[in-house]
Amino acid sequence: MAFELPTLPYAFDALEPHIDAKTMEIHHGKHHQGYTNNLNAAIEGTDLEGKTIENILTNLDMDNKAVRNNGGGFYNHSLFWSVMSPNGGGNPSGDLATAIDSAFGSFEAFKNKFSDAAKGQFGSGWAWLCVKSDGTLDVCGTPNQDNSLMPGVGCGGTPILGLDVWEHAYYLNYQNRRPDYVEAFFNVINWEEVSSRFAKSK
Ligand code: MN
């Protein structure tokens, strides 16, 4: 069973004005499709074929660049689309809100730390909110298509929120203004999905 590009759960223009339709169309249809195709080519005929993407990344040989880059790209973008929504924004609630307060002091403190990770990631990469093995939350950044499932990368644990800070994610609309893109992302975060991922991680 080859990996398949997941269907975008909303229209390309659904996240405007925060993320523009052209960026979404190219990002999903070209970039994510490319990672998916290249991942399938990289694992075809190997013992990784048929495994889940989580299993592949958790047990990854970090020297296997094709699977590291494209498996990461496949997983990261699948998560990214799901944690955004045209009805997003606002603040988390319930257990996730409690865990954020406990880990960071307040939602504002979390937002600052996450935004700093996104803005401070040199070059291409991602900012993450992760659930560590002890169930607590952490924020980190990773380069390229790495993520915190991979051995020895980032905060270590299950990512439940991720922000793509590759220029392909924002350059058409924001050019060099990555901080504006990071701020806009908070208007489309699907906290219901992040909460659901938090609950499943335990
Ligand atoms: Mn991307």
Side-chain angles (χ1 to χ4, degrees):
M1 271 290 286
F3 290 107
E4 289 182 11
L5 180 70
T7 306
L8 202 63
Y10 35 74
F12 292 131
D13 65 358
L15 304 179
E16 290 196 347
H18 310 294
I19 301 181
D20 66 282
K22 194 66 174 175
T23 294
M24 289 299 295
E25 185 178 354
I26 297 169
H27 201 174
H28 179 260
K30 302 294 184 191
H31 292 276
H32 198 186
Q33 183 73 68
Y35 296 123
T36 306
N37 295 347
N38 292 337
L39 170 62
N40 286 328
I43 64 172
E44 190 177 0
T46 75
D47 59 2
L48 298 178
E49 204 169 11
K51 294 189 171 166
T52 66
I53 189 62
E54 290 84 358
N55 188 317
I56 289 172
L57 298 182
T58 303
N59 300 293
L60 184 66
D61 168 8
M62 296 296 277
D63 291 330
N64 187 339
K65 291 289 170 55
V67 175
R68 180 177 176 178
N69 292 334
N70 295 294
F74 173 77
Y75 177 90
N76 296 347
H77 290 84
S78 302
L79 183 149
F80 187 48
W81 313 134
S82 80
V83 297
M84 297 189 290
S85 163
N87 305 311
N91 291 21
S93 58
D95 287 350
L96 178 60
T98 304
I100 285 176
D101 287 347
S102 169
F104 308 106
S106 67
F107 178 74
E108 280 307 308
F110 153 72
K111 182 178 175 182
N112 287 335
K113 189 167 185 187
F114 185 90
S115 298
D116 286 348
K119 290 183 282 191
Q121 180 61 46
F122 183 76
S124 298
W126 291 75
W128 302 106
L129 174 64
C130 298
V131 186
K132 296 191 290 185
S133 56
D134 65 1
T136 62
L137 296 173
D138 200 4
V139 159
C140 62
T142 57
N144 304 314
Q145 296 297 351
D146 287 354
N147 67 45
S148 60
L149 290 176
M150 297 175 183
V153 169
C155 24
T158 305
I160 59 172
L161 175 68
L163 175 57
D164 188 343
V165 295
W166 284 58
E167 284 188 345
H168 69 225
Y170 63 86
Y171 208 84
L172 288 180
N173 195 29
Y174 293 95
Q175 293 83 48
N176 63 323
R177 304 189 311 278
R178 188 192 285 187
D180 292 354
Y181 162 69
V182 172
E183 181 65 30
F185 175 65
F186 278 84
N187 295 315
V188 295
I189 295 177
N190 181 349
W191 286 113
E192 277 183 35
E193 173 65 18
V194 181
S195 289
S196 167
R197 287 174 177 270
F198 178 57
K200 283 183 203 148
S201 75
K202 291 194 273 193

